[in-house]
Amino acid sequence: MQWNRASAGCVHPHVLEDYLRRQDGVITLQQAQRAGLSEFAVRRRVRAGQWRRCSPGVYFADDRPFTAAARIRAAVWSRGHRATASGLAAAWWLGLMTTAPDIVEITVPRNSHGRAARGTRLRRRDLAEIDIIEHRSLRVTALALTVLEAATRRGGGAGIMDAALQRRLGLAHLQQAHTRNGARHGAAACRRLLDAAAGGARSEAERLLVHSLKSAGITGWHANFPVGDYVVDIAFPRQRVAVEVDGWAFHSDHAAFQNDRERQNLLALAGWQVLRFTWFDLTQHPDRVLAEIRASVSAR
């Protein structure tokens, strides 16, 4: 009892609360001990229902909501100090997605042992240091690798890559990360995305649209149809409906953006309805694209 009273006197409540505040209510045994709690004191808090044991050495303070951030943090920390959030979990942690995934993907060293806990998925591979960062006190895959992996996961998609290229990441960084991690899950699909991004994907988008129109039995259209000084990608001349196809959004610089708007305005003044679709629309939402084209053509 004397030892316990001495330990209790060494507790630093401000340090303890700072850990919990910064870490979404999640704390490790080592951190608790640095704040002055003994292992016995930690177990006592668990028995009293104040703390929840998430895994050996990882706890959650139950006086606050168990948020998505707490769930992901606890899951990653449960796999040890070399575990790294990856895939969609990393994408959400870095702000690339608005909804946290139900399954937390965790990358662990190749020689690690143990099975994935419920609600987690393990990837066993050795990451280069350049592909790991610490963000909000959690190890996550670096931005480039995170984008590559999330873009090929179900629930992610190529839009993540395009958005990252538009805002904060160079294509060369993605290609370098892909080369360093060529044997990872989803690498082949990612290479196709990178090839499409490098070429803008406009020609591929046009081919996809033509194929979709033919497969759906939609007739009355002409490809590369001249309208005044412009050539429309796909035109329904009788209904005066023009379908314009774009590649990846990150290729759109200011000059191209301005030219597209002038072109669209002139077509509208000539009595044409203009529909615009991107490579993403055609690959991710082909049924919606066809439905919009059918609705526009039938309405005119």
Side-chain angles (χ1 to χ4, degrees), residues 6 60 81 93 113 115 140 145 167 190 193 225 231 264 271 283 296:
F60 173 73
H81 69 280
W93 198 265
H113 303 288
R115 301 174 64 180
V140 299
L145 182 55
R167 294 195 299 268
C190 194
L193 286 179
F225 187 81
V231 176
Q264 187 163 322
T283 55
S296 297

Side-chain angles (χ1 to χ4, degrees), residues 144-155:
L145 182 55
T146 297
V147 168
L148 292 178
E149 294 189 331
T152 56
R153 298 287 193 269
R154 178 175 296 181

Side-chain angles (χ1 to χ4, degrees), residues 8-78:
C10 295
V11 174
H12 308 292
H14 296 300
V15 175
L16 188 63
E17 182 53 38
D18 188 54
Y19 275 128
L20 295 173
R21 178 182 53 78
R22 288 188 295 106
Q23 298 174 174
D24 314 296
V26 181
I27 191 168
T28 66
L29 176 60
Q30 291 79 8
Q31 291 169 343
Q33 289 173 328
R34 284 199 289 271
L37 287 179
S38 67
E39 189 170 350
F40 174 81
V42 169
R43 289 199 302 268
R44 188 170 56 198
R45 290 185 179 222
V46 173
R47 287 196 300 270
Q50 296 173 308
W51 285 12
R52 182 193 316 176
R53 182 178 179 273
C54 301
S55 64
V58 180
Y59 303 88
F60 173 73
D62 254 340
D63 60 347
R64 64 204 73 203
F66 190 63
T67 62
R71 176 170 59 86
I72 291 173
R73 187 186 295 277
V76 175
W77 282 358
S78 72

Side-chain angles (χ1 to χ4, degrees), residues 75-147:
V76 175
W77 282 358
S78 72
R79 300 301 308 187
H81 69 280
R82 297 182 64 195
T84 306
S86 57
L88 298 184
W92 182 82
W93 198 265
L94 294 178
L96 299 173
M97 299 173 54
T98 57
T99 303
D102 293 331
I103 303 298
V104 180
E105 181 178 313
I106 308 168
T107 294
V108 295
R110 194 180 300 275
N111 63 357
S112 64
H113 303 288
R115 301 174 64 180
R118 183 178 179 182
T120 69
R121 180 178 295 113
L122 295 184
R123 303 286 184 196
R124 299 183 195 278
R125 72 180 193 276
D126 298 321
L127 295 171
E129 285 302 313
I130 194 174
D131 290 318
I132 304 169
I133 63 171
E134 186 172 295
H135 183 64
R136 291 194 288 123
S137 304
L138 185 73
R139 276 170 58 107
V140 299
T141 46
L143 180 61
L145 182 55
T146 297
V147 168

Side-chain angles (χ1 to χ4, degrees), residues 80-274:
H81 69 280
R82 297 182 64 195
T84 306
S86 57
L88 298 184
W92 182 82
W93 198 265
L94 294 178
L96 299 173
M97 299 173 54
T98 57
T99 303
D102 293 331
I103 303 298
V104 180
E105 181 178 313
I106 308 168
T107 294
V108 295
R110 194 180 300 275
N111 63 357
S112 64
H113 303 288
R115 301 174 64 180
R118 183 178 179 182
T120 69
R121 180 178 295 113
L122 295 184
R123 303 286 184 196
R124 299 183 195 278
R125 72 180 193 276
D126 298 321
L127 295 171
E129 285 302 313
I130 194 174
D131 290 318
I132 304 169
I133 63 171
E134 186 172 295
H135 183 64
R136 291 194 288 123
S137 304
L138 185 73
R139 276 170 58 107
V140 299
T141 46
L143 180 61
L145 182 55
T146 297
V147 168
L148 292 178
E149 294 189 331
T152 56
R153 298 287 193 269
R154 178 175 296 181
I160 290 176
M161 183 183 292
D162 194 51
L165 286 167
Q166 288 182 65
R167 294 195 299 268
R168 52 206 268 204
L169 196 62
L171 182 59
H173 291 102
L174 290 178
Q175 292 168 329
Q176 291 161 7
H178 174 75
T179 300
R180 286 194 301 272
N181 298 273
R184 73 188 183 282
H185 175 76
C190 194
R191 169 46 61 193
R192 291 193 292 271
L193 286 179
L194 288 171
D195 289 343
R202 177 166 182 162
S203 59
E204 176 64 16
E206 291 177 2
R207 287 192 293 271
L208 279 171
L209 180 56
V210 167
H211 176 74
S212 296
L213 291 170
K214 288 180 178 179
S215 298
I218 298 175
T219 59
W221 54 270
H222 298 272
N224 301 314
F225 187 81
V227 179
D229 294 332
Y230 296 103
V231 176
V232 173
D233 294 332
I234 298 291
F236 292 82
R238 188 172 67 82
Q239 296 89 349
R240 300 178 83 80
V241 172
V243 182
E244 295 283 71
V245 177
D246 299 317
W248 284 56
F250 89 95
H251 279 280
S252 266
D253 57 23
H254 178 72
F257 178 86
Q258 189 63 32
N259 181 67
D260 286 344
R261 294 307 168 271
E262 291 174 0
R263 169 193 180 103
Q264 187 163 322
N265 289 342
L266 287 172
L267 286 170
L269 289 172
W272 287 72
Q273 179 185 4
V274 181

